[in-house]
């Protein structure tokens, strides 16, 4: 047998096996898109959508406030339906919301679309963490360290790409960066499609629950059987 390569050794250290590693890719690609949009949003709404500073403040503030409902809503749905299809659906909703921003300059429509996207962003974040928790099992804390690294690197890459593109400073560039944001969510959905459904939450709870101590009645019966 040959010596394990550095890449193989790193893969072996990542909890969750193949699906755990694939979900790190999902996190990385997702955050690239978020980095692209985070660096572009205000410029896009100013120069492409033609909104005023006050309107942009309302748009970002209200959609951000509505997005707070994403994590509890995502967690509630994850308790009732299969996690993998739910995460794929949320990613595709995010992609659709990003592309829909390109279709209108009306503040009310932009507010509705941005709110859906914000809900999807926050829900996808908690669903990705839930998936990782289920596949990593008892090593979930160590997995979160890998996940946070993937998030930070992905965000940095997206921000750097956006910064390089924004030197051109045209409306066309803003639109293409928004399209790149949408494509990152489509790619995340495709990577998630290749993952298996993780163990259910009830099964994880049963596996991690300590064995119940024998009751007094059971102990008495055992003593009677073995004097």
């Amino acid at each position: 047998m040959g010596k394990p390569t550095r890449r193989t050794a790193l893969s072996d250290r990542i909890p969750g096996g193949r699906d755990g590693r694939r979900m790190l890719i999902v996190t990385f690609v997702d955050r690239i898109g978020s980095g692209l949009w985070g660096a572009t949003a205000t410029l896009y709404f100013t120069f492409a959508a033609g909104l005023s500073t006050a309107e942009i403040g309302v748009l970002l503030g209200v959609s951000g406030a509505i997005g707070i409902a994403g994590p509890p809503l995502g967690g509630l749905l994850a308790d009732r339906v299969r996690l993998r299809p739910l995460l794929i659906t949320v990613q595709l909703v995010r992609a659709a919301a990003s592309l829909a921003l390109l279709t209108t300059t009306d503040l009310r429509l932009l507010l509705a679309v941005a709110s859906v996207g914000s809900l999807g962003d926050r829900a996808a974040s908690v669903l990705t963490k839930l998936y990782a928790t289920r596949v990593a099992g008892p090593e979930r804390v160590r997995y979160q360290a890998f996940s946070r690294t993937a998030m930070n690197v992905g965000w940095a890459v997206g921000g750097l790409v956006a910064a390089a593109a924004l030197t051109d400073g045209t409306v066309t560039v803003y639109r293409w960066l928004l399209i790149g944001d949408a494509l990152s969510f489509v790619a995340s959905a495709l990577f998630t499609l290749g993952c298996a459904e993780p163990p259910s939450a009830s099964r994880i709870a049963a596996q991690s629950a300590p064995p119940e101590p024998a009751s007094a009645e059971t102990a008495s019966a055992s003593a009677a059987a073995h004097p």
Side-chain angles (χ1 to χ4, degrees), residues 78 81-88 127-128 130-132 134 197-198:
V81 299
R82 288 163 60 87
L83 182 53
R84 187 182 68 110
L86 176 61
L87 181 53
I88 292 171
L127 292 174
T128 302
L130 278 173
Y131 187 101
R134 293 184 183 182
E197 179 69 19

Side-chain angles (χ1 to χ4, degrees), residues 37 44 98 101-102 173-183:
W37 180 235
Y44 176 83
S98 294
L101 291 174
L102 294 166
V173 168
Y174 305 149
R175 289 185 175 130
W176 274 110
L177 288 172
L178 181 52
I179 291 171
D181 181 42
L183 291 177

Side-chain angles (χ1 to χ4, degrees), residues 61-72 114-115 117-123:
V62 173
S63 61
I66 292 174
I68 293 173
S115 296
S118 182
L119 273 172
D121 289 344
R122 302 290 292 272

